Amino acid sequence: MLQTPPFKGANVFMSRKLVPPEILDALHDALNLNGANVVLCCDPSRTGPDDFHVIASSDHEKFEDLRAKGCQLLGPQCVFSCANEHRSLPKQGCTCCLALDGVNVLASGFKADEKIKIRNLITSMGGVLHTKTSLDVSFVIAKDVIATKYKWALYTLKKPVLTIHWLYQCCKEHHIVPQESFRVLPFSGLMISVTRIPADEQKKIEKLVIENGGQYSGELTKKCTHLICDAPEGDKYKVARNWGYIYIVTGKWFDQSIARRACLNEESFPVQDDSLSSKKIFKGCFASQNSQSNRSGFLQAAPPLVVADSNFTASTCGCRISLVGFEASEMRRLVNIIRRGGSTCYMSFNDRLTHIVVGTPEIEKEVRGFAACGVIHVVRATWLEDCDREKKEIPVLQQHSACDMLLPKGALIGTSGMIQGNFFYYSSEDAL
C-alpha cells in the first residue's frame, strides 16, 4: 500500500528572487517528489493554512514584509529536512530549519522585546521557548550571570549557560553547534572591586576580570556588584557592608569562578577573620552540640534577612544580629531599627553573629549555648531601642542583658564576674 506523500495538499510558492539559483532545482525536486503543488512565483496574498513561501534567509529584504502579511515562511534547509524524514511541512509562521526540533530552551535576564526575538529565533528552528524552570529544559540562554535563573541552571540543571550567539550560530549552520565557546563568561554583567591587595596584583585581577566578561573598578561605587577581600577590614569593606547589596567575597571565589568558567555561589566564599580567638572558644563550646546542630543547621551561614539602605543612621553599623522570640509585628519593628542602623539581620544562628536579641523566655537551646560561652551578646530589645535613640552603638549594659531569661535560676551565682567581663560590657575589640 502506497503511503500518502508528506507534502500532499501543500501549495508552495518559490520565486527565483527569494531562493539562490544553485539550490532552486534541488528544492523543486524535493517538493514535487513529496506531493507539494509548486508555484514558481511569489504571491504574498496567499496566506491560507496550506500555503507556504520559501525564502533563503531571514536577512532577505522581503522577509519582514512577507511575515507581516501573515505568510508561512520556510527555509530551504527546513524543506530538505522534512523531505528526508518524510514529514509534513511545519505550520508555525516561520521555520528556517529543524536544528532545535523538539528541544526546550530557557531564556533568562532579557527584556520583553528581546525575549520576543529569542522566541522567534528558537521557534524558527523548531524549538520551544520556556519561561519557567523545568528539568525538561535542554539548553539555557542568559544575558549575563546576574540573570535570575543562572544559578539554577548551574547548580540544579548542571548544564552550561550559553549566550544568545549560540542560537544565532545554530540558525546559521542549521544544526546544534558545540557549546563550549558560547558559554556566558563568569563575570559577565558584574563590576568588581578589590581592597587590601597590592597594586601589581590589582593589575592582574583587572585583566582577568575583563577577559572573563566583567568590569573592573578601582573605586568602590554603587555600581559595583562584588568586593574581593580576604579580611573584614578597610574602608571599602565597611562601606560595602553598610550599603548591603554588594557581595563581599574572598579571592578563592574569584579564582575558582575562573577555573570552572562559571560564576560560583558567593555565599560559599564568605570573608572571615581567622585571627579571632573567639573562633577557638566556639569550637570548644559547641563540640558537645555538634550532632544536634548539624541536624538543625544553625551553624550554617545564613543569608541576610535585610540589608542597610541609604538612610541608615549608623547606630549599630557593622553588627550582625539575629532576632528570636518575637511576634510578627514586633519583629518588623525591630528589623526596621536594625536596617536604619546599618547592620545585617540574620534569619538563623551562625557563629559570626555579634548580637542575639531575645523576646520571650521560651528560647532554643542553641541560644543558651551562645549565652553560656559569653562570646555573642544576648540582649533584650531595649538595647536596640537605646542604640536607635542615641544614633550610635552603645555598650551592652546589665539592664540590656537577657541572661536571666536564658539560664536557670541560680546559674549566675558565682559567675557574675565572668559574665560581666565577657557578656555585659562591649568594647571595640570585641567586634567580629
Side-chain angles (χ1 to χ4, degrees), residues 183-200:
R183 283 182 180 231
V184 173
L185 295 175
F187 304 139
S188 176
L190 306 184
M191 181 174 285
I192 299 174
S193 187
V194 300
T195 185
R196 300 298 177 97
I197 294 177
D200 57 336

Side-chain angles (χ1 to χ4, degrees), residues 408-425:
K409 291 183 179 180
L412 297 181
I413 298 175
T415 62
S416 59
M418 180 272 292
I419 294 175
Q420 183 174 349
N422 293 326
F423 197 80
F424 290 166
Y425 289 93

Side-chain angles (χ1 to χ4, degrees), residues 42-189:
C42 178
D43 186 358
S45 65
R46 297 294 297 270
T47 58
D50 295 319
D51 295 332
F52 301 88
H53 301 259
V54 180
I55 188 167
S57 168
S58 59
D59 296 328
H60 195 285
E61 60 181 6
K62 292 290 185 180
F63 180 84
E64 289 298 337
D65 180 58
L66 290 171
R67 186 162 70 172
K69 290 177 179 177
C71 298
Q72 291 191 105
L73 305 179
L74 301 175
Q77 191 63 37
C78 175
V79 175
F80 288 136
S81 296
C82 290
N84 290 335
E85 298 174 19
H86 301 286
R87 58 190 287 181
S88 59
L89 297 172
K91 299 179 179 182
Q92 55 179 25
C94 171
T95 309
C96 70
C97 65
L98 300 178
L100 299 179
D101 185 36
V103 173
N104 297 320
V105 181
L106 175 69
S108 180
F110 298 95
K111 296 179 181 178
D113 56 335
E114 293 174 319
K115 281 193 175 180
I116 292 174
K117 294 179 181 178
I118 291 172
R119 182 185 297 276
N120 291 337
L121 184 58
I122 292 172
T123 54
S124 74
M125 292 185 280
V128 179
L129 176 65
H130 280 237
T131 56
K132 296 182 179 180
T133 56
S134 168
L135 294 179
D136 294 331
V137 169
S138 302
F139 299 97
V140 178
I141 309 298
K143 189 166 188 176
D144 48 40
V145 301
I146 302 176
T148 55
K149 299 178 180 69
Y150 176 88
K151 295 285 173 62
W152 173 84
L154 188 64
Y155 288 99
T156 302
L157 198 61
K158 299 185 185 303
K159 292 186 178 181
V161 184
L162 310 174
T163 68
I164 193 174
H165 300 292
W166 178 77
L167 286 177
Y168 290 134
Q169 196 65 26
C170 290
C171 186
K172 181 180 178 180
E173 298 188 23
H174 307 303
H175 65 86
I176 294 178
V177 299
Q179 307 163 41
E180 195 61 29
S181 59
F182 295 96
R183 283 182 180 231
V184 173
L185 295 175
F187 304 139
S188 176

